[in-house]
Amino acid sequence: MLEAFKEIEVTCPTCGETKSINIPESLFSQKKFGTIKIQVPVNAVCPNHQFIVFLDTKGVVRGYEKIDIAMAVIPVETEKEITGILTLRKLIQLFGTYGVLSLMHAKIFNYPSYIIKDADFGPTEELLNLIGNRIVPEKYRGHNSIRLLEKSDYSKIKLKEKNALLIDSLTQNILQTPWKEKLKFEEEIVKRALEIINEEEQLRLLQHRIAIFIKEAEQAKDILEEVNEIYDEDLIEQVSREALMPRMNQNRLTLIKEFIKHHFSQKLVSKMKSRVEEFLSSL
Ligand SMILES: [Zn+2]
């Protein structure tokens, strides 16, 4: 079947180069996905940058996000990939950089993930979940896993969970993300991992950095359980002191809040107070 395409003019958010890209019409004939994230790889619009375009259901560009990860394109498969083992690099080939960051985010914060596939799609659900489970501590693997959906009409896709990530592996488009936060933490650690050549070490680095983050979240949780309320900055101070870490920034705290909300309770998160918000609401 020949698919109809809609031409959409996009501009690289880093260097300003503009070009039209083709998006399947069928994406816009349905309305259920809301904002769709289109991954634009290096060389699609400009030779140096990859980025995300946010499109609404009418195909109007609603925003951009830069992805600051450069990956050397190595066309040959690595030894591991030939024997059917998933590697970080293979995952990026399958889902695009932002697709991988999104899958990691879903795994860490316990959202279900759905991947649309066709007959040529290689890995099984088991294999995908195996690598997902490897990067988070056993205790936090959660009940949500990656599930594969057979490619059909977009309008026929029915997701049981509204709160799920949905990726089309055929186009690498991200059809639904149930969160608002940017994926800066995931971007940072994937970038570091890709600087390592050994593929086993890449996974170990991800695992290690995620474990550090979770340890901070657990410390924040322990502190919150002991107080009625606490200011953000006092919590930052205490966690950093106990974890013997440099003072975390506001983004990290936002991420910790998300982690506590999804793995422990919303009630704990509501004990956190912000002086800035208090000040603004007093005006
Ligand atoms: Zn550019």
Side-chain angles (χ1 to χ4, degrees), residues 11-17 45-51:
T11 305
C12 171
T14 305
C15 69
E17 204 154 309
V45 171
C46 78
N48 299 316
H49 308 109
Q50 58 173 328
F51 56 93

Side-chain angles (χ1 to χ4, degrees), residues 7-19:
E7 262 197 19
I8 297 194
E9 192 170 272
V10 298
T11 305
C12 171
T14 305
C15 69
E17 204 154 309
T18 295
K19 220 176 193 166

Side-chain angles (χ1 to χ4, degrees), residues 15-249:
C15 69
E17 204 154 309
T18 295
K19 220 176 193 166
S20 290
I21 57 169
N22 289 324
I23 309 291
E25 283 276 6
S26 56
L27 259 186
F28 304 109
S29 52
Q30 50 69 42
K31 302 234 170 327
K32 67 180 136 189
F33 298 134
T35 304
I36 301 158
K37 292 175 178 169
I38 309 289
Q39 302 197 62
V40 182
V42 169
N43 285 329
V45 171
C46 78
N48 299 316
H49 308 109
Q50 58 173 328
F51 56 93
I52 305 295
V53 186
F54 297 72
L55 287 183
D56 69 13
T57 49
K58 294 194 178 72
V60 177
V61 175
R62 290 295 174 197
Y64 292 98
E65 195 172 323
K66 296 177 190 178
I67 305 176
D68 182 24
I69 295 177
M71 195 174 59
V73 183
I74 312 161
V76 289
E77 280 189 290
T78 67
E79 208 177 305
K80 288 207 148 238
E81 288 162 16
I82 290 163
T83 53
I85 295 169
L86 281 181
T87 60
L88 178 60
R89 213 176 60 89
K90 184 73 188 173
L91 289 172
I92 292 175
Q93 262 178 26
L94 286 169
F95 306 115
T97 314
Y98 199 80
V100 171
L101 301 182
S102 301
L103 285 165
M104 281 175 64
H105 195 78
K107 186 71 215 171
I108 301 168
F109 296 91
N110 199 23
Y111 293 97
S113 300
Y114 290 86
I115 295 167
I116 300 170
K117 62 148 203 155
D118 64 1
D120 297 331
F121 187 80
T124 59
E125 262 176 23
E126 288 72 24
L127 209 54
L128 289 165
N129 283 301
L130 205 69
I131 194 166
N133 283 337
R134 270 202 59 187
I135 59 167
V136 287
E138 201 172 350
K139 214 172 137 188
Y140 296 103
R141 282 175 193 170
H143 52 275
N144 289 313
S145 55
I146 297 173
R147 267 162 284 177
L148 297 175
L149 299 172
E150 295 295 330
K151 165 73 178 174
S152 58
D153 222 306
Y154 284 121
S155 60
K156 290 202 184 102
I157 291 167
K158 285 192 178 68
L159 275 193
K160 283 191 203 91
E161 291 101 331
K162 270 257 172 289
N163 213 18
L165 169 69
L166 177 63
I167 298 179
D168 184 350
S169 72
L170 287 80
T171 57
Q172 299 192 343
N173 295 333
I174 320 274
L175 303 181
Q176 179 173 290
T177 43
W179 52 75
K180 287 192 184 69
E181 56 270 21
K182 289 187 174 181
L183 308 182
K184 288 293 158 203
F185 169 61
E186 291 80 1
E187 183 180 307
E188 225 267 323
I189 62 178
V190 166
K191 193 175 169 176
R192 291 282 159 264
L194 289 172
E195 287 166 4
I196 304 170
I197 292 168
N198 184 296
E199 294 179 309
E200 209 40 47
E201 289 296 323
Q202 290 181 342
L203 290 183
R204 234 170 273 145
L205 180 134
L206 295 179
Q207 193 184 40
H208 176 66
R209 297 290 286 268
I210 292 167
I212 293 174
F213 164 72
I214 292 179
K215 202 160 164 259
E216 287 177 18
E218 284 178 328
Q219 258 151 350
K221 178 206 130 207
D222 289 347
I223 294 164
L224 286 167
E225 278 173 344
E226 299 300 319
V227 297
N228 288 325
E229 56 175 53
I230 187 166
Y231 282 110
D232 281 358
E233 55 207 81
D234 297 334
L235 185 64
I236 287 176
E237 189 71 46
Q238 274 196 47
V239 172
S240 306
R241 200 187 322 131
E242 281 170 34
L244 300 172
M245 296 283 284
R247 254 182 87 86
M248 70 171 94
N249 59 26

